[in-house]
Amino acid sequence: MGEIGGFKKFGRADPPERGPGERIGDHREFVRALPLLELREQGARCLECGVPFCHHGCPLGNLIPDWNDLVYRDRFREAIDQLHRTNNFPEFTGRLCPAPCEAACVLEIDEGNAVTIKQIELAIVTRAWEEGWIVPEPPASRSGRSVAVVGSGPAGLACAQQLSRSGHAVTVFERDEAGGGLVRFGIPDFKIEKDVVERRLAQLSEEGIEFRFGMDVGNDIDASELRDSFDAVVLAIGSRVPRDLAVPGRGLAGVHFAMEYLYGRNRHLAGTAEASITAEAKHVIVVGGGDTGADCVASAHREGAASVTQIELLGEPPARRSDELTPWPLWPVKLRTSYALKEGGERSFAISTTRLSGGARVERIHWQQNSGEPPFAPVPGTEESHPAELVLLAMGFVGPEPRLPDALGVERDGRGNIAATEYAASVPGVFAAGDARRGQSLIVWAIEEGRRCAGAVDAWFDTNCREPVAAAAER
């Protein structure tokens, strides 16, 4: 159980970061790792509780106390095996997950004192790659069944890997020119460098998974043809319809969805396309206070924006966890300052945009303070306007793009997501996983959804007596 009394002997140590003044000059990852001795001390802080609430906090059910103890004992080779038992891509979650496991840690009852679970997770998988412990694991034999996975984000990739290791032939269809989904194109390099994604894609390819990039199902290949060519189809197409801002002036040039901007920046940095949207020397307004908004703020800093302002519809949360609102071990609603705002920029809460103005392009944003909670009643006398030469809408997503689900004839729920309670959609042999099924969510939920969906496909194959498509084609 780590070191008895370790949580009293060693304080929490957050991962070191490159200074804001340095890191805004490049696009390299800015979070650094602790030295080995300090990392083992962090593992020693784990209580290995009789009821490990970190399991409850983690959607993947990661075996957190087990690998905390193994790191404390410098047994990293065993730790990566424990980590991979529940998580296909810990180098993704170790960089990008907000760590609900830490919010549920028993030590977090003393707020801010949780075990640094996320940091330990990333250290394990980083060491494993460096030592060559992570290798392809193809199945010993193949089942004769084939599965098409549409979408190569974390849900699609996790599902594909689980199905392939079960012996099925898996083909992943991705409309973008490379794999990874939003992890590759929607999240900047300074949070996850793209060779991290490529390394996993290479492993999956060597395990026998076929990737067909630049293939838009529904355009480049008909949905019915896909259904007829595979024994099962998994829709892991994400929640990609962005929430819009219905105000006068929305149609002005210079107003864009966040993903238009971030996709362009990632492609520009990869050298595959010139960015059509730039923040350089512009007054930038980011509408939306979440992670995507923060990524827009940070990207604008690196482009040399004249100013960056992030506005949030909701009111400012309390500085500390409120036991009345979100008692431990729930994820706490409290004030957080993103890495991006530490680099510069302004932030305002309880702001309702009323209109955008300008000539051919947007020039100003007009807003009014609101009550901070639904129905966000306007506060009289608080109208303001600010320079706005680039407005980025980062207000979340409302559901999957409907074209492919509708072409396959699957039902959708009241929110527009694919209706698949146990991952099986309304059309036999069609399944859904990730944000397309549950709505916009965390990367850990995407991986868990992919893993569970793979299990549902396996179970369906076990009870479905239909002859495999490949065998039928040979007759």
Side-chain angles (χ1 to χ4, degrees), residues 52-68:
F53 284 87
C54 53
H55 287 222
H56 167 81
C58 176
L60 283 163
N62 280 334
L63 306 171
I64 294 165
D66 299 40
W67 36 262
N68 280 342

Side-chain angles (χ1 to χ4, degrees), residues 104-173:
C105 175
V106 170
L107 289 178
E108 184 60 15
I109 294 173
D110 178 16
E111 190 173 351
N113 200 35
V115 174
T116 52
I117 299 167
K118 178 178 173 179
Q119 184 180 2
I120 293 171
E121 174 185 40
L122 183 57
I124 293 168
V125 70
T126 299
R127 171 82 174 271
W129 280 112
E130 291 172 348
E131 298 286 352
W133 297 333
I134 300 176
V135 297
E137 299 178 27
S141 61
R142 292 290 179 180
S143 67
R145 299 286 187 181
S146 61
V147 184
V149 176
V150 185
S152 68
L157 293 179
C159 187
Q161 185 168 55
Q162 295 299 111
L163 287 168
S164 179
R165 289 180 175 180
S166 294
H168 310 306
V170 180
T171 302
V172 176
F173 293 83

Side-chain angles (χ1 to χ4, degrees), residues 12-165:
R12 176 184 168 97
D14 288 311
E17 298 180 357
R18 296 163 57 210
E22 173 196 340
R23 69 197 194 211
I24 62 171
D26 58 56
H27 291 80
R28 294 181 289 111
E29 291 183 15
F30 63 87
V31 178
R32 295 293 185 242
L34 284 174
L36 177 60
L37 180 59
E38 291 184 47
L39 191 74
R40 292 177 62 191
E41 289 175 351
Q42 293 304 297
R45 298 183 68 244
C46 181
L47 300 171
E48 199 161 337
C49 309
V51 179
F53 284 87
C54 53
H55 287 222
H56 167 81
C58 176
L60 283 163
N62 280 334
L63 306 171
I64 294 165
D66 299 40
W67 36 262
N68 280 342
D69 180 65
L70 289 167
V71 165
Y72 164 65
R73 300 178 189 283
D74 199 17
R75 290 159 58 180
F76 279 76
R77 182 66 184 84
E78 296 169 65
I80 188 59
D81 291 339
Q82 288 287 67
L83 188 48
H84 272 150
R85 285 179 63 186
T86 55
N87 188 350
N88 297 67
F89 314 121
E91 66 271 40
F92 296 177
T93 54
R95 287 171 167 86
L96 305 175
C97 180
C101 54
E102 294 188 18
C105 175
V106 170
L107 289 178
E108 184 60 15
I109 294 173
D110 178 16
E111 190 173 351
N113 200 35
V115 174
T116 52
I117 299 167
K118 178 178 173 179
Q119 184 180 2
I120 293 171
E121 174 185 40
L122 183 57
I124 293 168
V125 70
T126 299
R127 171 82 174 271
W129 280 112
E130 291 172 348
E131 298 286 352
W133 297 333
I134 300 176
V135 297
E137 299 178 27
S141 61
R142 292 290 179 180
S143 67
R145 299 286 187 181
S146 61
V147 184
V149 176
V150 185
S152 68
L157 293 179
C159 187
Q161 185 168 55
Q162 295 299 111
L163 287 168
S164 179
R165 289 180 175 180

Side-chain angles (χ1 to χ4, degrees), residues 253-384:
V255 184
H256 302 274
F257 290 118
M259 284 302 159
E260 295 178 66
Y261 174 62
L262 293 174
Y263 263 60
R265 294 307 306 159
N266 274 302
R267 287 189 168 115
H268 174 77
L269 290 169
T272 59
E274 285 298 318
S276 61
I277 306 169
T278 180
E280 183 178 1
K282 289 187 171 75
H283 294 291
V284 179
I285 303 292
V286 178
V287 184
D291 288 341
T292 298
D295 293 345
C296 289
V297 170
S299 295
H301 289 326
R302 284 157 178 77
E303 281 202 87
S307 69
V308 186
T309 302
Q310 186 174 20
I311 59 175
E312 168 65 75
L313 181 67
L314 294 167
E316 183 172 341
R320 298 182 63 83
R321 178 202 293 269
S322 167
D323 288 336
E324 289 73 29
L325 294 175
T326 50
W328 177 88
L330 299 179
W331 177 257
V333 174
K334 65 179 183 180
L335 182 64
R336 295 175 174 85
T337 298
S338 71
Y339 75 95
L341 287 168
K342 292 175 184 176
E343 298 170 355
E346 301 294 329
R347 170 175 61 177
S348 294
F349 292 97
I351 298 296
S352 295
T353 303
T354 55
R355 65 187 178 97
L356 303 165
S357 63
R361 294 185 57 86
V362 65
E363 296 173 11
R364 298 193 71 82
I365 184 170
H366 306 261
W367 71 53
Q368 187 172 14
Q369 292 180 16
N370 65 50
S371 61
E373 57 187 25
F376 305 108
V379 178
T382 59
E383 297 83 358
E384 299 179 31

